Amino acid sequence: MGPVRVLGIDPGGKRLGLAVGDTTTGIATPLEVVVSRSLDDSVSKIVAVMAEHTAERAIIGLPTDVDGRETPACRRSHALAGALAEIGVLTVLQPEHLSTDEARRRARALQRRPSRPVDDLAAQVILEEFFEGCGHGSPTP
């Protein structure tokens, strides 16, 4: 399989963190943090960013606990993956644990203002974990 551009997504209750990368280099780059008002709003924003960056697949963070079990926050990830899959977007649910903690560490290292959201950095972490695992997330139909 050739290179595939992917969009990493850290789905939060009010914001989406977005990062982009490709399977050839395995490098993920944080893009932006966007406000999400609803599931439909999230889907339309994701589709627009995917088109802008020619991403072929959406990698969605699935926040698991320390034992790898799904948390209540996983419902948001499943709903987003389902809505994207319904319109033909290829999605992968990428189990992740403590991506926000790692994102905060990176933000401090980058000397970001503490008030600035770190969701884009969390999306970068999610993509890096996807690349490290050779993409063995859970594809949605």
Side-chain angles (χ1 to χ4, degrees), residues 21-112:
D22 73 66
T23 58
T24 300
T25 64
I27 296 173
T29 305
L31 284 178
E32 61 183 313
V33 177
V34 296
V35 174
S36 172
R37 291 174 175 74
S38 67
L39 181 59
D40 288 342
D41 184 47
S42 294
V43 168
S44 66
K45 288 178 178 180
I46 289 166
V47 168
V49 172
M50 288 182 75
E52 179 183 347
H53 292 277
T54 63
E56 300 175 36
R57 194 170 292 155
I59 311 304
I60 302 167
L62 186 68
T64 58
D65 67 15
V66 70
D67 296 324
R69 290 186 301 256
E70 291 193 12
T71 66
C74 289
R75 283 179 286 188
R76 187 179 310 118
S77 298
H78 284 290
L80 183 58
L84 287 168
E86 280 181 23
I87 61 168
V89 175
L90 297 173
T91 61
V92 174
L93 289 168
Q94 176 61 40
E96 54 98 357
H97 179 66
L98 300 176
S99 63
T100 301
D101 289 345
E102 174 59 23
R104 286 186 187 118
R105 280 191 285 282
R106 291 179 185 196
R108 282 191 299 276
L110 294 169
Q111 298 181 341
R112 274 196 184 185

